[in-house]
Amino acid sequence: MSKEIYLNPKIFSNTEETEQLSIHQGFDEGLLIAGDNDERVVALCSDPTRSEKVSLFAKEYPGRFFKNDLAEESMFSVALGMATMGKIPFVLLPKLFSPGKNCEQIKAAMYCNNVPVKIIGSHSGVFAGSYKGTLQTIEDIALIRSMSQMTILAPCDAIEAQKATVYAAQIDGPVYIRFPQEETSIITTDETPFEIGKAEVFFRPDGDVDVGVIASGHLVYNAIRAAKDLDDEGVRVRVLNLSTIKPMDIDAVVKLGTQTGKIVIIEECQTVGGVGSAVAEVLAQIAPAKMRFIGACDMSGISDGRMPHPGIDIENIKNTIRELYVQ
Amino acid sequence: MNYLHSDKIKELEVKSDEIRKLMTGNLFAVEQECTTCSLGVVDFLTLLYFHVLKHDPKDPEWKERDRLILSSDHICLALYATMAHAGYFPVEKLKTLRKFGSRPQDYPTRAFLPGIKKNSGLLGSLSQAVGMTIADRMDHKRSRDKFFYCLLGDKELQEDQNWEAISLAGREQLHNLVAIIGRNNIQTGGLKENTIPFEPVVDKFEEFNWHVLNASINDFDDMDNAIGQAQSVFAKPTVIFVQ
């Protein structure tokens, strides 16, 4: 385990003992800090009384908070209007509406104009709480990655989400931040470094390595746990936290690909056009490697809020790494 | 806004003719589409840029200026000629329409033309105008120092996003938002009555808490009166239907 990045020392305790916190809460705290730092920060929310709430910011700055209800298509155009008046709007929408229903508005409003509107996907991935099946957003990375000038962040836990939100407010351009609705394990600490566009090695930073794992979002936890178990079996795994999906830390990805020649991608979205595709686009050109993709492979979300997705649980991750290791 | 006396109307008529000449002499050689639509709004843009709008061509980013949000951006030829005549850029630049890096592009492009605050090309600017008005209210409460004028076509009312914006503006009582909607009853594909019907549109706007006015877009005095009324409406946005 990397000492320099000050990860949570309880990370290898029983899952029940590892502190669980909603990444949404970390975002909420980060938005309040961003609001304290810059009076131009405003928030738009479809319904603050429900789970996509921005309670801390709305309570502290009611005059900079706007409830758009379910006018979800116009919401991003409204945000563009605010941005042209000098605001830095954070737009919260749940479910597949964002990005999805509003892709035309995002295209026209945000990246065509390169305004500093921040899109918050608060129910992304398969762990979307009560939002199941067709309401789950697992196509978001593929959709929004195709939009130029868009920065895409997937914080691994609540603490990193707080930092990501604060830094996102400082970027002069559109940003998409995605996270699940449910509570996830705390991986990092306040001292863990975070920088947009930089990927950090979270497990086995030094020494020889057999397989590289690139994980995004809260699945970094499963990746680290799997790597630790395999360490005991003699399979040396290095885990990279790809918290910024775009722009990608090409140096870190290429370095891992060169060191191992074997890369496993773990993502909580469609593998078609998702994080793995983004990594493969880089490696195929600079450091071709054998790759395996773990994620929603051409399927709709099936989480019922309790059971993990069959492909992204620790056991399956270990099996996939073992299979690639013997190749 | 000052009273529109007869001398001022004559002055506007002269400017309006000059702007049409700028269009026919510089822009129509390159662009043959949407020429009649563009010519049809010259009087209105002349009234706005030379009488109604609080703006400064020498300081296009002046924060306290009024805003014109052009949703019907296919009429941008008229906008370019009017802005050039007002002094935003040299009229000679009109000849560079569509050329890479030039100020007048196919659709208004903010990177190339000072005074344009958003790129366009897709419809839905009424929502953006609502966002601008709400942002202004966040900073200045319910002042009457600044007005937001959004020009759109009646065919846009077939798009659902606009009805979200209409509902939102009415709920928020955006008194300094003025929508000007052209009613030409025709669109690509035929007469509007044969497409998606939108009557009774006046009743719909009133139900959404809008003040509704009618005016002739080519009558300076009539249009000026309507805008004057819109500026004095309390706790409601205003829509002016123009023929």
Side-chain angles (χ1 to χ4, degrees):
Chain A
M1 186 168 139
S2 173
K3 298 286 186 193
E4 297 80 3
I5 53 174
Y6 307 104
L7 295 184
N8 179 7
K10 293 182 180 175
I11 196 169
F12 296 122
S13 308
N14 293 332
T15 304
E16 296 75 26
E17 294 176 13
T18 310
E19 188 185 356
Q20 303 279 308
L21 204 58
S22 159
I23 295 182
H24 196 144
Q25 186 174 327
F27 158 75
D28 200 7
E29 293 168 1
L31 184 60
L32 179 61
I33 296 169
D36 292 341
N37 292 345
D38 193 333
E39 64 180 14
R40 296 175 298 166
V41 170
V42 299
L44 295 89
C45 183
S46 63
D47 185 352
T49 62
R50 298 185 62 194
S51 52
E52 58 271 24
K53 64 181 181 290
V54 286
S55 54
L56 295 176
F57 182 88
K59 189 175 177 185
E60 184 68 23
Y61 299 111
R64 289 155 57 184
F65 171 73
F66 185 72
K67 188 164 75 74
N68 213 51
D69 290 314
L70 297 181
E72 287 144 341
E73 283 189 44
S74 66
M75 198 164 177
F76 286 79
S77 304
V78 168
L80 166 64
M82 291 182 168
T84 57
M85 296 294 287
K87 303 296 181 191
I88 302 174
F90 280 71
V91 185
L92 271 87
L93 270 177
K95 310 181 283 261
L96 77 166
F97 304 132
S98 174
K101 185 178 181 181
N102 48 23
C103 269
E104 179 197 321
Q105 283 72 32
I106 293 174
K107 177 187 170 190
M110 314 231 168
Y111 89 89
C112 279
N113 285 280
N114 195 27
V115 290
V117 179
K118 319 302 173 187
I119 312 164
I120 310 303
S122 61
H123 292 64
S124 301
V126 294
F127 294 92
S130 59
Y131 296 117
K132 302 184 185 72
T134 55
L135 292 179
Q136 290 182 330
T137 308
I138 53 178
E139 302 83 5
D140 56 335
I141 299 294
L143 287 170
I144 211 142
R145 201 166 67 81
S146 64
M147 298 185 182
S148 64
Q149 305 184 69
M150 187 71 72
T151 296
I152 306 174
L153 306 177
C156 68
D157 65 5
I159 293 173
E160 193 170 81
Q162 186 197 92
K163 297 170 188 169
T165 306
V166 172
Y167 284 111
Q170 297 167 6
I171 290 183
D172 186 21
V175 179
Y176 173 57
I177 307 177
R178 82 183 305 262
F179 47 81
Q181 187 56 30
E182 297 167 22
E183 290 187 342
T184 63
S185 300
I186 293 296
I187 305 169
T188 65
T189 61
D190 290 340
E191 287 72 36
T192 305
F194 174 82
E195 186 182 333
I196 289 178
K198 187 160 176 55
E200 297 283 356
V201 174
F202 270 18
F203 190 83
R204 189 179 282 281
D206 305 309
D208 294 335
V209 61
D210 301 309
V211 179
V213 169
I214 298 176
S216 176
H218 70 99
L219 293 179
V220 170
Y221 175 77
N222 286 7
I224 294 173
R225 293 292 300 239
K228 179 73 167 62
D229 289 353
L230 290 170
D231 218 32
D232 300 336
E233 297 177 18
V235 182
R236 298 165 299 183
V237 178
R238 181 162 294 158
V239 178
L240 191 67
N241 171 25
L242 198 70
S243 52
T244 305
I245 297 167
K246 185 181 176 184
M248 188 174 290
D249 186 345
I250 293 175
D251 290 344
V253 169
V254 168
K255 186 177 176 184
L256 190 62
T258 307
Q259 287 170 337
T260 62
K262 296 175 180 176
I263 297 290
V264 174
I265 305 291
I266 308 171
E267 56 186 319
E268 201 199 356
C269 58
Q270 289 285 9
T271 53
V272 178
V275 180
S277 298
V279 172
E281 287 163 14
V282 170
L283 291 181
Q285 296 181 74
I286 306 174
K290 292 179 179 175
M291 296 183 72
R292 295 291 182 272
F293 302 90
I294 302 176
C297 184
D298 203 21
M299 63 173 69
S300 58
I302 57 171
S303 169
D304 66 355
R306 296 186 301 275
M307 297 293 289
H309 188 289
I312 53 181
D313 59 270
I314 294 172
E315 281 307 312
N316 187 64
I317 291 170
K318 286 195 290 188
N319 290 337
T320 305
I321 295 172
R322 285 190 195 105
E323 183 265 326
L324 185 60
Y325 171 65
V326 298
Q327 287 277 315
Chain B
M1 197 169 77
N2 298 324
Y3 172 69
L4 194 60
H5 51 78
S6 57
D7 287 347
K8 183 69 180 178
I9 290 177
K10 283 178 187 165
E11 181 191 325
L12 292 175
E13 287 171 347
V14 171
K15 286 187 184 299
S16 165
D17 285 344
E18 289 169 350
I19 290 167
R20 286 192 187 88
K21 285 176 188 167
L22 285 176
M23 292 168 67
T24 53
N26 297 281
L27 300 173
F28 289 179
V30 179
E31 172 64 72
Q32 281 86 41
E33 291 183 13
C34 303
T35 51
T36 50
C37 310
S38 297
L39 286 169
V41 297
V42 169
D43 286 339
F44 172 66
L45 291 178
T46 304
L47 178 71
L48 278 187
Y49 273 85
F50 297 96
H51 181 63
V52 174
L53 288 183
K54 196 170 64 171
H55 71 123
D56 181 2
K58 293 186 178 62
D59 184 9
E61 297 297 314
W62 179 38
K63 285 189 175 178
E64 297 311 310
R65 71 191 187 282
D66 291 330
R67 307 300 204 272
L68 170 64
I69 301 99
L70 198 65
S71 192
S72 319
D73 39 22
H74 56 284
I75 58 161
C76 61
L77 299 184
L79 178 73
Y80 293 152
T82 307
M83 290 181 74
H85 196 287
Y88 279 90
F89 61 94
V91 292
E92 297 78 42
K93 294 284 183 187
L94 289 171
K95 291 185 190 300
T96 65
L97 175 69
R98 284 184 175 171
K99 290 203 169 59
F100 184 76
S102 79
R103 296 195 164 181
Q105 290 293 314
D106 270 8
Y107 289 105
T109 305
R110 68 177 184 147
F112 300 136
L113 181 52
I116 300 288
K117 280 304 287 181
K118 68 172 188 61
N119 302 338
S120 49
L122 295 167
L123 304 176
S125 293
L126 186 58
S127 302
Q128 294 163 19
V130 169
M132 294 166 86
T133 314
I134 292 170
D136 181 63
R137 191 178 69 186
M138 285 176 168
D139 291 337
H140 302 103
K141 307 296 180 192
R142 292 189 172 276
S143 82
R144 290 186 182 275
D145 294 339
K146 200 180 298 156
F147 281 84
F148 299 81
Y149 302 93
C150 182
L151 180 63
L152 60 161
D154 50 1
K155 68 177 181 297
E156 292 181 54
L157 297 181
Q158 294 172 354
E159 293 193 337
D160 50 359
Q161 185 190 171
N162 283 312
W163 289 102
E164 290 185 358
I166 291 163
S167 167
L168 204 55
R171 185 193 78 180
E172 294 297 319
Q173 304 177 358
L174 301 178
H175 68 281
N176 53 345
L177 174 65
V178 182
I180 297 103
I181 301 181
R183 295 191 69 177
N184 55 16
N185 197 34
I186 195 165
Q187 69 182 77
T188 307
L191 294 172
K192 195 87 74 259
E193 64 199 36
N194 297 327
T195 61
I196 299 173
F198 71 150
E199 295 295 352
V201 70
V202 169
D203 293 345
K204 289 174 184 172
F205 270 88
E206 286 179 342
E207 284 294 315
F208 281 121
N209 193 39
W210 284 64
H211 185 66
V212 181
L213 297 168
N214 288 286
S216 171
I217 199 167
N218 298 115
D219 184 329
F220 287 124
D221 200 28
D222 194 28
M223 203 62 217
D224 185 54
N225 278 333
I227 292 174
Q229 280 189 54
Q231 291 176 339
S232 59
V233 170
F234 178 73
K236 283 183 179 183
T238 298
V239 55
I240 305 173
F241 286 106
V242 294
Q243 297 290 337

